[in-house]
Coordinates of all heavy atoms in Angstrom, one line a residue:
K1 N -1.3 -7.3 -7.5 CA -1.7 -8.2 -8.6 C -1.1 -9.6 -8.3 O -1.7 -10.6 -8.5 CB -1.1 -7.7 -9.9 CG -1.9 -6.5 -10.4 CD -3.2 -6.8 -11.0 CE -3.0 -7.3 -12.4 NZ -4.3 -7.5 -13.1
R2 N 0.2 -9.6 -7.9 CA 0.9 -10.9 -7.8 C 0.3 -11.8 -6.7 O 0.1 -13.0 -6.9 CB 2.4 -10.6 -7.5 CG 3.3 -11.8 -7.7 CD 4.8 -11.5 -7.6 NE 5.1 -11.0 -6.2 CZ 5.5 -9.8 -5.9 NH1 5.7 -8.9 -6.8 NH2 5.9 -9.5 -4.7
K3 N -0.1 -11.1 -5.6 CA -0.7 -11.9 -4.5 C -2.2 -11.9 -4.5 O -2.8 -12.5 -3.5 CB -0.1 -11.3 -3.1 CG 1.4 -11.5 -3.0 CD 1.8 -11.4 -1.6 CE 3.3 -11.8 -1.5 NZ 3.6 -12.3 -0.2
R4 N -2.8 -11.3 -5.4 CA -4.3 -11.2 -5.6 C -4.9 -10.7 -4.3 O -5.8 -11.3 -3.8 CB -4.8 -12.5 -6.0 CG -4.3 -13.0 -7.4 CD -5.0 -14.1 -8.0 NE -6.4 -13.8 -8.3 CZ -6.9 -13.1 -9.3 NH1 -6.1 -12.6 -10.2 NH2 -8.2 -12.9 -9.4
L5 N -4.4 -9.7 -3.7 CA -4.9 -9.1 -2.4 C -6.2 -8.5 -2.6 O -6.5 -7.8 -3.7 CB -3.9 -8.1 -1.9 CG -2.5 -8.6 -1.6 CD1 -1.5 -7.5 -1.2 CD2 -2.5 -9.7 -0.6
D6 N -7.1 -8.6 -1.6 CA -8.3 -7.8 -1.6 C -8.3 -6.7 -0.7 O -9.2 -5.8 -0.7 CB -9.5 -8.7 -1.4 CG -9.5 -9.4 0.0 OD1 -8.4 -9.3 0.7 OD2 -10.5 -10.0 0.4
K7 N -7.3 -6.6 0.2 CA -7.1 -5.5 1.0 C -5.6 -5.4 1.4 O -4.9 -6.4 1.2 CB -7.9 -5.5 2.3 CG -7.7 -6.6 3.2 CD -8.7 -6.6 4.4 CE -8.5 -7.9 5.2 NZ -9.5 -8.1 6.2
I8 N -5.1 -4.2 1.8 CA -3.7 -4.0 2.1 C -3.6 -3.0 3.2 O -4.4 -2.1 3.4 CB -3.0 -3.6 0.8 CG1 -1.5 -3.7 1.0 CG2 -3.4 -2.2 0.4 CD1 -0.7 -3.7 -0.3
R9 N -2.6 -3.2 4.0 CA -2.3 -2.3 5.2 C -0.9 -1.8 5.1 O 0.0 -2.3 4.4 CB -2.4 -3.1 6.5 CG -3.7 -3.7 6.8 CD -3.7 -4.5 8.1 NE -2.5 -4.2 8.9 CZ -1.6 -5.0 9.3 NH1 -1.7 -6.3 9.1 NH2 -0.6 -4.7 10.1
V10 N -0.7 -0.6 5.7 CA 0.6 0.0 5.7 C 1.6 -1.0 6.3 O 2.7 -1.2 5.7 CB 0.6 1.3 6.6 CG1 2.0 1.8 6.9 CG2 -0.2 2.3 6.0
G11 N 1.3 -1.8 7.3 CA 2.1 -2.8 7.9 C 2.6 -3.9 6.9 O 3.7 -4.4 7.0
D12 N 1.7 -4.2 5.9 CA 2.1 -5.2 4.9 C 3.3 -4.7 4.1 O 4.1 -5.5 3.7 CB 0.9 -5.4 4.0 CG -0.3 -6.0 4.6 OD1 -0.2 -6.7 5.7 OD2 -1.5 -5.8 4.1
I13 N 3.3 -3.4 3.9 CA 4.4 -2.8 3.1 C 5.7 -2.6 3.9 O 6.8 -2.9 3.4 CB 3.9 -1.5 2.4 CG1 2.7 -1.7 1.6 CG2 5.1 -0.9 1.6 CD1 2.7 -2.8 0.5
T14 N 5.5 -2.2 5.1 CA 6.8 -2.0 5.9 C 7.5 -3.3 6.1 O 8.7 -3.4 6.2 CB 6.4 -1.3 7.3 OG1 5.5 -2.1 8.0 CG2 6.0 0.1 7.1
K15 N 6.7 -4.4 6.2 CA 7.4 -5.8 6.3 C 8.2 -6.1 5.2 O 9.1 -6.9 5.3 CB 6.3 -6.8 6.5 CG 5.7 -6.9 7.9 CD 4.9 -8.2 8.1 CE 3.6 -8.0 7.4 NZ 2.5 -8.9 7.8
M16 N 7.9 -5.5 4.0 CA 8.7 -5.9 2.8 C 10.1 -5.3 2.8 O 11.0 -5.7 2.1 CB 8.0 -5.4 1.5 CG 6.5 -5.8 1.4 SD 6.3 -7.6 1.3 CE 6.7 -7.9 -0.4
A17 N 10.3 -4.3 3.7 CA 11.6 -3.6 3.8 C 12.1 -3.0 2.5 O 13.3 -3.1 2.2 CB 12.6 -4.5 4.5
W18 N 11.2 -2.5 1.7 CA 11.6 -1.9 0.4 C 12.3 -0.5 0.7 O 11.8 0.2 1.6 CB 10.4 -1.7 -0.5 CG 9.9 -2.9 -1.1 CD1 10.6 -4.1 -1.3 CD2 8.6 -3.2 -1.6 NE1 9.8 -5.0 -1.9 CE2 8.5 -4.5 -2.1 CE3 7.4 -2.4 -1.6 CZ2 7.4 -5.0 -2.6 CZ3 6.3 -3.0 -2.2 CH2 6.3 -4.3 -2.7
Q19 N 13.3 -0.2 0.1 CA 14.2 0.9 0.4 C 13.3 2.2 0.6 O 13.4 2.9 1.6 CB 15.2 1.1 -0.8 CG 16.2 2.2 -0.5 CD 17.2 1.8 0.6 OE1 17.6 0.6 0.7 NE2 17.5 2.7 1.5
E20 N 12.5 2.5 -0.4 CA 11.8 3.8 -0.4 C 10.4 3.7 0.4 O 9.7 4.7 0.5 CB 11.6 4.4 -1.8 CG 10.5 3.6 -2.6 CD 11.1 2.4 -3.3 OE1 12.2 2.0 -3.0 OE2 10.4 1.9 -4.2
L21 N 10.1 2.5 0.9 CA 8.8 2.4 1.5 C 8.9 1.7 2.9 O 8.3 0.7 3.2 CB 7.9 1.5 0.6 CG 7.5 2.1 -0.7 CD1 6.8 1.1 -1.6 CD2 6.6 3.3 -0.5
R22 N 9.7 2.4 3.7 CA 9.9 1.8 5.1 C 9.1 2.6 6.1 O 9.0 2.1 7.3 CB 11.4 1.9 5.4 CG 12.2 0.9 4.7 CD 13.6 0.8 5.2 NE 14.3 -0.3 4.5 CZ 15.6 -0.3 4.3 NH1 16.3 0.6 4.8 NH2 16.2 -1.3 3.6
E23 N 8.6 3.7 5.8 CA 7.9 4.6 6.8 C 6.5 4.8 6.3 O 6.2 4.8 5.1 CB 8.7 5.9 7.0 CG 10.0 5.6 7.6 CD 10.8 6.9 7.7 OE1 10.3 8.0 7.6 OE2 12.1 6.8 7.9
R24 N 5.6 5.1 7.3 CA 4.2 5.3 7.0 C 3.9 6.4 6.0 O 3.0 6.2 5.1 CB 3.5 5.6 8.3 CG 2.0 5.7 8.2 CD 1.4 5.8 9.6 NE 0.0 5.4 9.5 CZ -0.4 4.1 9.7 NH1 0.5 3.2 10.0 NH2 -1.6 3.8 9.5
K25 N 4.6 7.5 6.0 CA 4.2 8.6 5.2 C 4.3 8.3 3.7 O 3.4 8.5 2.9 CB 5.0 9.9 5.6 CG 4.2 11.1 5.6 CD 5.1 12.3 6.1 CE 4.4 13.6 6.1 NZ 3.5 13.7 7.2
P26 N 5.5 7.8 3.2 CA 5.6 7.5 1.8 C 4.7 6.3 1.4 O 4.2 6.3 0.2 CB 7.1 7.1 1.6 CG 7.6 6.9 2.9 CD 6.8 7.6 3.9
I27 N 4.4 5.4 2.3 CA 3.5 4.3 1.9 C 2.1 4.9 1.8 O 1.4 4.5 0.8 CB 3.5 3.2 3.0 CG1 4.9 2.5 3.0 CG2 2.4 2.2 2.8 CD1 5.1 1.6 4.2
E28 N 1.7 5.7 2.7 CA 0.3 6.3 2.5 C 0.2 7.2 1.3 O -0.8 7.2 0.6 CB 0.0 7.2 3.8 CG -0.4 6.3 5.0 CD -0.8 7.0 6.2 OE1 -0.4 8.2 6.3 OE2 -1.4 6.4 7.1
A29 N 1.3 7.9 0.9 CA 1.3 8.7 -0.3 C 1.1 7.7 -1.5 O 0.4 8.0 -2.5 CB 2.6 9.4 -0.5
A30 N 1.8 6.6 -1.5 CA 1.6 5.6 -2.6 C 0.2 5.0 -2.6 O -0.4 4.9 -3.7 CB 2.7 4.5 -2.5
F31 N -0.4 4.7 -1.5 CA -1.7 4.3 -1.4 C -2.7 5.3 -1.9 O -3.6 5.0 -2.7 CB -2.1 3.9 0.1 CG -1.6 2.6 0.6 CD1 -0.8 1.8 -0.1 CD2 -2.0 2.2 1.9 CE1 -0.3 0.6 0.4 CE2 -1.5 1.0 2.4 CZ -0.7 0.2 1.6
E32 N -2.4 6.6 -1.6 CA -3.3 7.7 -2.1 C -3.2 7.8 -3.6 O -4.2 8.0 -4.3 CB -3.0 9.0 -1.4 CG -3.5 9.0 0.0 CD -2.9 10.1 0.9 OE1 -2.3 11.0 0.3 OE2 -3.2 10.1 2.1
A33 N -2.0 7.6 -4.2 CA -1.8 7.6 -5.6 C -2.6 6.5 -6.3 O -3.3 6.7 -7.3 CB -0.3 7.5 -6.0
L34 N -2.6 5.3 -5.6 CA -3.4 4.2 -6.1 C -4.9 4.4 -6.0 O -5.7 4.0 -6.8 CB -3.0 2.9 -5.4 CG -1.6 2.3 -5.9 CD1 -1.2 1.2 -5.0 CD2 -1.7 1.9 -7.3
E35 N -5.3 5.2 -4.9 CA -6.7 5.5 -4.7 C -7.1 6.5 -5.9 O -8.2 6.4 -6.4 CB -6.8 6.2 -3.4 CG -8.3 6.5 -3.0 CD -8.4 7.1 -1.6 OE1 -7.5 7.8 -1.1 OE2 -9.5 6.9 -1.0
D36 N -6.2 7.4 -6.3 CA -6.5 8.3 -7.4 C -6.8 7.6 -8.7 O -7.6 8.2 -9.5 CB -5.4 9.3 -7.6 CG -5.3 10.3 -6.4 OD1 -6.2 10.4 -5.6 OD2 -4.2 11.0 -6.3
V37 N -6.2 6.5 -8.9 CA -6.5 5.7 -10.1 C -7.5 4.6 -9.9 O -7.6 3.7 -10.8 CB -5.2 5.2 -10.8 CG1 -4.3 6.4 -11.2 CG2 -4.4 4.3 -9.9
D38 N -8.2 4.6 -8.8 CA -9.3 3.7 -8.5 C -8.8 2.3 -8.3 O -9.5 1.3 -8.6 CB -10.3 3.8 -9.7 CG -11.7 3.3 -9.2 OD1 -12.0 3.5 -8.0 OD2 -12.5 2.9 -10.0
W39 N -7.6 2.1 -7.8 CA -7.1 0.8 -7.4 C -7.5 0.5 -5.9 O -7.8 -0.7 -5.6 CB -5.6 0.7 -7.6 CG -5.2 0.2 -8.9 CD1 -5.5 0.8 -10.1 CD2 -4.4 -0.9 -9.2 NE1 -4.9 0.0 -11.1 CE2 -4.2 -1.0 -10.6 CE3 -3.7 -1.9 -8.4 CZ2 -3.5 -2.0 -11.2 CZ3 -3.0 -2.9 -9.1 CH2 -2.9 -2.9 -10.4
L40 N -7.4 1.5 -5.1 CA -7.7 1.3 -3.7 C -8.8 2.2 -3.2 O -9.0 3.3 -3.8 CB -6.4 1.6 -2.9 CG -5.2 0.7 -3.0 CD1 -4.1 1.2 -2.1 CD2 -5.5 -0.7 -2.7
R41 N -9.4 1.8 -2.1 CA -10.4 2.7 -1.4 C -10.1 2.6 0.1 O -10.1 1.5 0.6 CB -11.8 2.2 -1.8 CG -12.9 3.1 -1.2 CD -14.2 2.7 -1.8 NE -14.5 1.3 -1.6 CZ -15.2 0.8 -0.6 NH1 -15.7 1.6 0.3 NH2 -15.5 -0.5 -0.6
K42 N -10.0 3.8 0.7 CA -9.8 3.8 2.1 C -11.2 3.7 2.8 O -12.0 4.5 2.5 CB -9.1 5.1 2.5 CG -8.7 5.0 4.0 CD -7.7 6.1 4.4 CE -7.3 5.9 5.8 NZ -6.2 6.7 6.2
P43 N -11.4 2.7 3.6 CA -12.7 2.6 4.3 C -12.8 3.7 5.3 O -11.8 4.2 5.8 CB -12.6 1.2 4.9 CG -11.2 0.9 5.1 CD -10.5 1.6 4.0
A44 N -14.0 4.1 5.6 CA -14.3 5.1 6.7 C -13.6 4.5 7.9 O -13.7 3.3 8.2 CB -15.8 5.2 6.9

């Protein structure tokens, strides 16, 4: 919301160096949670 992103990558989040989001697995879990509420869509 803050950056008005139209797409996002795992690497965008690892660069933030957030404590709980430094590795691919938890970031993908968070992306999947956002996909469940229709915020994100993983392209084929």
Side-chain angles (χ1 to χ4, degrees):
K1 289 284 280 187
R2 196 170 65 244
K3 296 201 171 202
R4 301 194 59 80
L5 301 175
D6 61 351
K7 63 185 174 191
I8 193 162
R9 295 179 17 239
V10 169
D12 296 334
I13 304 305
T14 56
K15 281 191 285 196
M16 306 299 280
W18 288 335
Q19 190 67 42
E20 72 277 10
L21 295 171
R22 289 189 177 154
E23 295 174 16
R24 183 171 205 90
K25 222 174 180 78
I27 294 169
E28 286 181 339
F31 282 4
E32 286 166 9
L34 287 169
E35 189 177 27
D36 289 345
V37 294
D38 206 25
W39 269 58
L40 295 180
R41 182 169 54 94
K42 187 168 189 171

